[in-house]
């Protein structure tokens, strides 16, 4: 199986990896159809989380389910699914308290290209498939759905964790992909005034499109 890997800090390339074993009872194997590069991949290759040897990179992907474990009921082989960058167990104390990215410990929910092979391969493994595989509606293309795997979900989660009160005022600093989704999330959660801080003209326009009431440059 072909994969794009971090060979060591500062070095990447393609590699041949063994086929993924059959999934465990609650897991799934997904054939990758679309994947995106995240800045975190660049940070990882640069050494931000320490040395990794021949680990498959990537944590944003959609695909087609190839196989599921015996206990999986929500998805089945042949389904198109989106898989979030964070794949927690949903059972541990941190998950049950509402902090799935900290599954089992600090950043424990971030498994792809951190503690296990990521999604830049022909296929990838998904734990807790019923919770971590989201069926894609027929009307939504793979090209569109893949943006939900990290950019949208991270921005929305930021807005959720901010505990925005109905009618409250929110400031979102920087309007890159995640910031734009935090702006959209704040508006959807009922913020009365959303202020976006962004200096680039095109991103200022996008911020207004996604719900910002006021847009100011950092120098202002």
């Amino acid at each position: 199986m072909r994969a794009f890997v971090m060979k060591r800090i500062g070095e990447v390339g393609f590699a041949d990896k063994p086929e993924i074993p059959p999934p465990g009872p609650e897991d799934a194997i997904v054939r990758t159809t679309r994947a995106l590069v995240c800045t975190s991949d660049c940070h990882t290759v640069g050494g931000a989380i320490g040395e990794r040897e021949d680990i498959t990179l990537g944590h944003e992907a959609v695909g087609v389910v190839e196989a599921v474990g015996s206990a999986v009921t929500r998805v089945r082989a042949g389904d198109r699914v989106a898989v979030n960058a964070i794949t927690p167990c949903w059972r541990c104390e941190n998950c049950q308290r509402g902090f799935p990215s900290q599954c089992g410990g600090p950043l424990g929910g971030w498994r792809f290209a951190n503690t296990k092979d990521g999604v830049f391969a022909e296929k990838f493994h998904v734990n807790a498939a019923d919770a971590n595989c989201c069926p894609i509606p027929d009307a939504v293309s793979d090209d569109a759905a893949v943006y939900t795997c990290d950019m949208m979900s991270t921005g929305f989660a930021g807005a959720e964790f901010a505990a925005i009160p109905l009618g409250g005022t929110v400031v979102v600093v920087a309007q890159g992909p995640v910031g734009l989704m935090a702006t959209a999330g704040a508006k959807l959660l009922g913020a009365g005034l959303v202020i976006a801080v962004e200096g680039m003209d095109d991103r200022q326009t996008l911020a207004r499109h996604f719900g910002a009431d006021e847009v100011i440059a950092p120098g202002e």
Side-chain angles (χ1 to χ4, degrees), residues 52-64:
R52 297 291 189 277
E53 185 177 342
D54 291 331
I55 193 168
T56 303
L57 291 165
H59 53 257
E60 303 179 43
V62 300
V64 176

Side-chain angles (χ1 to χ4, degrees), residues 41-176:
D41 294 308
C42 302
H43 294 163
T44 296
V45 173
I49 58 173
E51 189 64 80
R52 297 291 189 277
E53 185 177 342
D54 291 331
I55 193 168
T56 303
L57 291 165
H59 53 257
E60 303 179 43
V62 300
V64 176
V65 176
E66 288 227 333
V68 297
S70 58
V72 176
T73 60
R74 189 179 181 215
V75 296
R76 59 187 179 182
D79 287 351
R80 296 167 58 238
V81 295
V83 180
N84 196 51
I86 303 300
T87 53
C89 72
W90 299 103
R91 289 174 172 168
C92 69
E93 181 181 357
N94 283 350
C95 285
Q96 290 296 303
R97 290 174 59 231
F99 303 104
S101 61
Q102 314 307 317
C103 173
L107 293 181
W110 173 32
R111 290 173 166 82
F112 290 135
N114 179 17
T115 59
K116 64 184 279 188
D117 278 336
V119 302
F120 289 169
E122 295 177 62
K123 302 174 187 178
F124 61 94
H125 171 272
V126 184
N127 63 286
D130 274 340
N132 291 322
C133 289
C134 180
I136 302 172
D138 291 340
V140 178
S141 69
D142 288 357
D143 288 339
V146 71
Y147 286 92
T148 68
C149 298
D150 190 352
M151 299 177 195
M152 190 179 83
S153 56
T154 300
F156 280 15
E160 289 175 341
F161 283 125
I164 299 165
L166 287 172
T169 298
V170 179
V171 178
V172 183
V173 180
Q175 295 292 293

